[in-house]
Amino acid sequence: MPERPAVPAELERALMVEAGHRCAIPTCRTVSPLQIEHIVDWARVQKHEFDNMIVLCANCHGRKGTRRGQIDRKSLLQYKANLTVLNSRYGEIERRVLDHFAERRPVWRSVSQTIDRSVESLKAANKILAQISELRRDIAEECQDSNNPFLDEALTGLLKLESASEERINLTERLVDAGARFKDVESGILEVARGTGFMFLHLSIDGLIERVDNHPGEVVVNGQPIVEIYRLTEAGRAFVDRWQTAQPLDG
């Protein structure tokens, strides 16, 4: 087998620039030490080509493989393709903004999952409450035409159950609402000097971030804010999800 030649300096530089001189795995983004890796192994291709190479840190390089928990070739190809989308659509500062919000992803993903489970629980509770209320109305009608003490006792029990269910539903609704606000906070905010928001204009145009007016953390001098505050939108969260889980960004 011929000796592997060194990666040409210009090719290495192009790969580093593509990855922003960081590990190309979006959940990592380590800055050192970095290695140039062949997506399809060198042993098979026997050549250095830009489209088949990607920058990885030493840790992620060691995780490349086909076993569960490793970074497989399909994922590497998608990470590479997503770098092309990001680099063609957004500038360096905009990519750093996405990195900033992506660092918060584990927190708001956990909150989102909790909210989803609470919403499903709320739907089930409302369905049960409707059944209880219907049964309570039927028994109330029966009580009007009967002096049966057992029906009176059943009606009293259903009224208590109905009231308890309503309280639980109200509590769950408040928790869902609070969770939604917490998720918004934990997605992180980006605070920049006033008038510099144009540097990530394309993220705003694409609906991935939005400016927050009258934010509690806004600094005001002489009646004028001296900073602009931005947050990730739902579309932005979905974009970061696709990016970090090796899903297409251009679909």
Side-chain angles (χ1 to χ4, degrees), residues 184-185 189 191 212-220 227 229 231:
D184 185 56
V185 171
I189 61 171
E191 185 177 298
V212 184
D213 294 322
N214 301 317
H215 190 277
E218 190 174 62
V219 180
V220 178
V227 296
I229 295 178
R231 65 186 173 196

Side-chain angles (χ1 to χ4, degrees), residues 84-96:
T84 300
V85 173
L86 288 168
N87 292 336
S88 64
R89 188 179 301 175
Y90 305 119
E92 174 64 17
I93 293 178
E94 290 174 311
R95 296 196 298 275
R96 293 298 178 93

Side-chain angles (χ1 to χ4, degrees), residues 65-82:
T66 58
R67 295 193 300 273
R68 185 173 182 177
Q70 292 185 313
I71 305 172
D72 61 20
R73 186 179 304 152
K74 182 178 179 181
S75 295
L76 288 175
L77 286 169
Q78 190 60 64
Y79 287 136
K80 176 78 172 182
N82 287 346

Side-chain angles (χ1 to χ4, degrees), residues 83-135:
L83 281 175
T84 300
V85 173
L86 288 168
N87 292 336
S88 64
R89 188 179 301 175
Y90 305 119
E92 174 64 17
I93 293 178
E94 290 174 311
R95 296 196 298 275
R96 293 298 178 93
V97 168
L98 289 173
D99 281 336
H100 166 78
F101 286 117
E103 290 175 358
R104 305 296 302 165
R105 178 178 178 269
V107 178
W108 51 258
R109 279 289 297 167
S110 176
V111 175
S112 294
Q113 291 167 359
T114 300
I115 291 174
D116 290 342
R117 288 194 294 268
S118 296
V119 169
E120 289 303 313
S121 175
L122 191 58
K123 290 178 181 177
N126 275 306
K127 185 176 180 179
I128 292 173
L129 176 60
Q131 294 172 342
I132 292 172
S133 297
E134 183 178 0
L135 180 58

Side-chain angles (χ1 to χ4, degrees), residues 136-168:
R136 188 259 305 160
R137 287 191 295 270
D138 290 343
I139 292 179
E141 291 178 1
E142 289 290 334
C143 286
Q144 292 177 354
D145 302 324
S146 172
N147 293 320
N148 190 329
F150 294 106
L151 288 178
D152 291 337
E153 185 177 345
L155 180 59
T156 300
L158 285 172
L159 285 169
K160 291 180 179 179
L161 182 59
E162 187 176 31
S163 177
S165 297
E166 289 174 343
E167 289 180 4
R168 182 175 180 180

